Amino acid sequence: KQEVTQIPAALSVPEGENLVLNCSFTDSAIYNLQWFRQDPGKGLTSLLLIQSSQREQTSGRLNASLDKSSGRSTLYIAASQPGDSATYLCARDLDQTGANNLFFGTGTRLTVIP
Amino acid sequence: NAGVTQTPKFQVLKTGQSMTLQCAQDMNHEYMSWYRQDPGMGLRLIHYSVGAGITDQGEVPNGYNVSRSTTEDFPLRLLSAAPSQTSVYFCASSWSRGTGELFFGEGSRLTVL
């Protein structure tokens, strides 16, 4: 049974701090790993997509890495801001259909304190 | 630019009633899907479609039906609502069936009494 685990479940940091969110998964035979942001009462917003052949992706203050051999992905947020407060979800391919079907972790709820 | 639009945003049903959650996207995306989100659990895939006329089951399809008669629309039907279907439902779409950024709607919160 595949699992996606995100640790910690919740995290509070002061503004300006650099932080790392962790995502671990069983079954290293993944194709894609995606990170999403979810604001309360809202849908998900895609942050970064790492394809299987890639090791990392960067967008602004965000950097995501993928290590298939260890079954881990990390999301690094530099110089955190109060606007970064949200729940961050990682997701891997659910199956081998080649469709964009994802299996999600339960998320890390981040609070950035001004 | 509307993106992915879900209606209704909130709905209360009685056990045994049926209803349809609507999802429409204006990005000409081939791939569309429905997820449900429950407290303490990750989003779980209900059904998906890789193009008009093509649908398939996800992880938790029981109690739900879908159809894809047009590229734009992907409605989710609850045949006979049960309290276990109380959840927040999200519709998502992407350019192609494989790789690509997944765009989500804002969700439909369903309560079954």
Coordinates of all heavy atoms in Angstrom, one line a residue, chain A residues 6-13 21 86 107-111:
Chain A
Q6 N 3.9 13.4 5.5 CA 4.5 14.8 5.6 C 4.7 15.1 7.1 O 3.8 15.0 7.9 CB 3.6 15.8 5.0 CG 3.5 15.6 3.5 CD 2.7 16.8 2.8 OE1 1.6 16.6 2.3 NE2 3.3 17.9 2.8
I7 N 6.0 15.5 7.3 CA 6.4 15.8 8.7 C 7.1 17.1 8.7 O 8.0 17.4 7.8 CB 7.3 14.7 9.3 CG1 6.5 13.4 9.4 CG2 7.9 15.1 10.6 CD1 7.4 12.2 9.8
P8 N 6.8 18.1 9.6 CA 5.8 17.9 10.7 C 4.4 18.2 10.1 O 4.2 18.7 9.0 CB 6.2 19.0 11.7 CG 6.8 20.1 10.8 CD 7.5 19.4 9.7
A9 N 3.4 17.9 10.9 CA 2.0 18.2 10.6 C 1.7 19.7 10.7 O 0.8 20.2 9.9 CB 1.0 17.4 11.4
A10 N 2.4 20.3 11.6 CA 2.2 21.8 11.7 C 3.5 22.4 12.1 O 4.4 21.8 12.8 CB 1.1 22.1 12.8
L11 N 3.7 23.6 11.7 CA 5.0 24.3 11.9 C 4.7 25.8 12.1 O 4.0 26.4 11.3 CB 5.9 24.0 10.8 CG 7.3 24.7 10.8 CD1 8.1 24.1 11.9 CD2 8.0 24.4 9.4
S12 N 5.3 26.4 13.1 CA 5.2 27.9 13.3 C 6.7 28.4 13.3 O 7.5 27.9 14.0 CB 4.5 28.2 14.6 OG 3.2 27.9 14.6
V13 N 6.9 29.5 12.5 CA 8.2 30.1 12.4 C 8.1 31.6 12.4 O 7.0 32.1 12.0 CB 9.0 29.6 11.2 CG1 9.1 28.1 11.1 CG2 8.3 30.1 9.9
L21 N 10.2 21.8 4.5 CA 9.1 20.9 4.7 C 9.4 19.5 4.1 O 10.0 19.5 3.0 CB 7.8 21.4 4.1 CG 7.4 22.8 4.5 CD1 6.1 23.2 3.8 CD2 7.2 22.9 6.0
A86 N -0.1 28.8 5.2 CA -1.0 28.0 4.4 C -0.7 26.5 4.7 O 0.3 26.2 5.5 CB -0.8 28.2 2.9
G107 N -0.4 16.8 4.5 CA 0.0 18.2 4.5 C 0.7 18.7 5.8 O 0.7 18.0 6.8
T108 N 1.4 19.8 5.6 CA 2.0 20.5 6.7 C 1.4 21.9 6.8 O 1.4 22.7 5.8 CB 3.5 20.7 6.6 OG1 4.1 19.4 6.6 CG2 4.1 21.5 7.7
R109 N 0.8 22.2 8.0 CA 0.2 23.6 8.1 C 1.2 24.5 8.7 O 1.7 24.4 9.8 CB -1.0 23.5 9.1 CG -1.8 24.8 9.2 CD -3.1 24.6 10.0 NE -2.8 24.3 11.4 CZ -3.0 23.2 12.0 NH1 -3.4 22.1 11.3 NH2 -2.7 23.0 13.3
L110 N 1.6 25.5 7.8 CA 2.6 26.5 8.2 C 2.0 27.8 8.6 O 1.2 28.3 8.0 CB 3.5 26.7 6.9 CG 4.6 27.8 7.1 CD1 5.6 27.4 8.1 CD2 5.2 28.1 5.7
T111 N 2.5 28.3 9.7 CA 2.2 29.6 10.2 C 3.5 30.4 10.3 O 4.4 30.0 11.0 CB 1.5 29.6 11.6 OG1 0.3 28.7 11.5 CG2 1.1 31.0 12.0

